[in-house]
């Protein structure tokens, strides 16, 4: 990692700064890495979005296949995970935009907004699924 | 070269060009924010719409996308989603992949995937919109 080549061509190891593992995870740092993890997960989740759109464009048989996948236990679990990740990333993304505008970056506010993001993600996921399942049940 | 007595270490030419060592300036940063801001309303609209379409037959989905407003919003969503994902994944790859060859290969593959997936999604929306 911090290796450098000497004039002789030999590598010599530079001292490393204290590494990730020795830091105690803090609330704000956990939220930060969760933003990145949910972002990557959502990028993978676009596969389902594209499959769904392409299947709809292809016709009834393909649309029925993607529908059957979403209805399966694994499909529902993935969709639930992606909806939670989406609402988290959305809420925390707005938190980031406030920081970019220079607001709410002090630690007490950042911790409060962090709790607000978690509450929003859980509540929005719950509401979306309650309504979605109600719509499904009404068909 | 900067003249003696100046506080900045940047050369005059570097300052005028204002693009830094990556030759890209704040373009990446802005692109990530602009797409983020666009995605706030687009995502809320999309999620609310598909929650309402839960378990809907294909005919209902087609009727929904047949509206020009819906089709254009879906296309805007797809462009913003894949541009935002592309810019975000680029930073993740640059942060964690240290081998130069693997890094460049990963960036190329990720960009190609984003472009192709976005293209498939966009064309599917157009086909649905035009009643295909």
């Amino acid at each position: 990692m911090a290796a450098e080549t000497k004039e002789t061509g030999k590598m010599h190891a530079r001292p490393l700064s204290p590494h990730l593992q020795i830091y105690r995870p803090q609330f704000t740092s956990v939220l930060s890495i969760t933003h990145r993890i949910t972002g990557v997960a959502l990028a993978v989740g676009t596969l389902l979005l594209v499959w769904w759109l392409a299947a709809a464009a292809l016709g009834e048989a393909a649309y029925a296949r993607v529908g059957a996948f979403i209805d399966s236990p694994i499909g529902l679990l993935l969709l639930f995970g992606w909806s939670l990740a989406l609402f988290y990333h959305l809420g925390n993304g707005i938190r980031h935009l406030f920081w970019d505008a220079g607001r709410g970056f002090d630690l007490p506010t950042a911790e409060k907004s962090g709790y607000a993001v978690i509450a929003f993600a859980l509540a929005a996921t719950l509401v979306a699924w309650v309504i979605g399942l109600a719509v499904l049940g009404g068909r | 070269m900067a003249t003696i007595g100046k506080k900045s270490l940047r050369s005059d030419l570097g300052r005028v060009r204002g693009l830094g060592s990556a030759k890209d300036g704040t373009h990446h940063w802005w692109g990530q924010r602009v797409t983020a801001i666009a995605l706030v309303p687009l995502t809320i609209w999309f999620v609310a719409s598909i929650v309402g379409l839960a378990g809907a037959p294909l005919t209902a989905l087609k009727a929904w996308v047949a509206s020009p407003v819906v089709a254009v919003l879906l296309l805007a969503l797809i462009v913003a989603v894949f541009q935002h994902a592309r810019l975000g994944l680029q930073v993740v790859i640059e942060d964690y992949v240290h081998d130069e060859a693997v890094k460049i290969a990963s960036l190329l593959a990720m960009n190609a995937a984003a472009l192709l997936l976005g293209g498939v999604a966009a064309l599917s929306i157009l086909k649905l919109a035009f009643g295909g």
Side-chain angles (χ1 to χ4, degrees), chain B residues 20-97:
Chain B
S21 59
K23 310 286 179 282
D24 196 41
T26 54
H27 184 246
H28 184 285
W29 191 92
W30 268 114
Q32 191 81 77
R33 268 72 193 170
V34 169
T35 51
I37 292 166
L39 281 168
V40 173
L42 286 171
T43 307
I44 294 169
W45 163 78
F46 178 71
V47 171
S49 302
I50 55 163
V51 162
L53 282 168
L58 184 54
T59 47
L61 178 61
K62 280 184 173 171
W64 180 59
V65 186
S67 154
V69 176
V70 170
V72 166
L73 287 176
L74 280 175
L75 288 171
L77 175 83
I78 290 300
V79 170
V81 158
F82 281 101
Q83 180 65 355
H84 190 78
R86 203 178 69 75
L87 293 171
L89 289 176
Q90 181 191 331
V91 176
V92 173
I93 292 170
E94 286 169 349
D95 279 356
Y96 302 131
V97 182

Side-chain angles (χ1 to χ4, degrees), chain B residues 96-115:
Chain B
Y96 302 131
V97 182
H98 299 303
D99 183 280
E100 197 65 17
V102 178
K103 181 165 79 184
I104 290 173
S106 307
L107 287 170
L108 286 172
M110 182 275 291
N111 278 293
L115 198 73

Side-chain angles (χ1 to χ4, degrees), chain A residues 4-124:
Chain A
E4 217 170 85
T5 316
K6 281 190 200 171
E7 287 136 50
T8 54
K10 272 190 180 172
M11 301 282 271
H12 59 171
R14 295 279 184 202
L16 285 168
S17 67
H19 217 269
L20 202 58
Q21 294 92 320
I22 78 150
Y23 287 113
R24 185 170 58 87
Q26 293 159 305
F27 179 57
T28 46
S29 71
V30 171
L31 292 185
S32 174
I33 193 64
T34 306
H35 191 70
R36 183 165 269 206
I37 292 166
T38 52
V40 173
L42 288 167
V44 176
T46 61
L47 287 172
L48 182 66
L49 174 66
V50 174
W51 182 21
W52 178 67
L53 285 168
L58 277 169
E60 291 286 356
Y63 190 69
R65 269 198 298 277
V66 74
F69 173 75
I70 294 169
D71 264 342
S72 71
I74 184 90
L76 286 170
L77 190 68
L78 283 172
L79 200 60
F80 183 82
W82 275 321
S83 62
L84 185 60
L86 181 67
F87 285 123
Y88 177 84
H89 201 83
L90 174 66
N92 202 50
I94 293 169
R95 183 165 167 253
H96 267 276
L97 289 172
F98 273 97
W99 290 343
D100 293 337
R103 284 160 205 269
F105 206 56
D106 60 294
L107 205 49
T109 312
E111 290 198 337
K112 266 186 240 160
S113 61
Y115 282 113
V117 164
I118 293 174
F120 164 76
L122 294 174

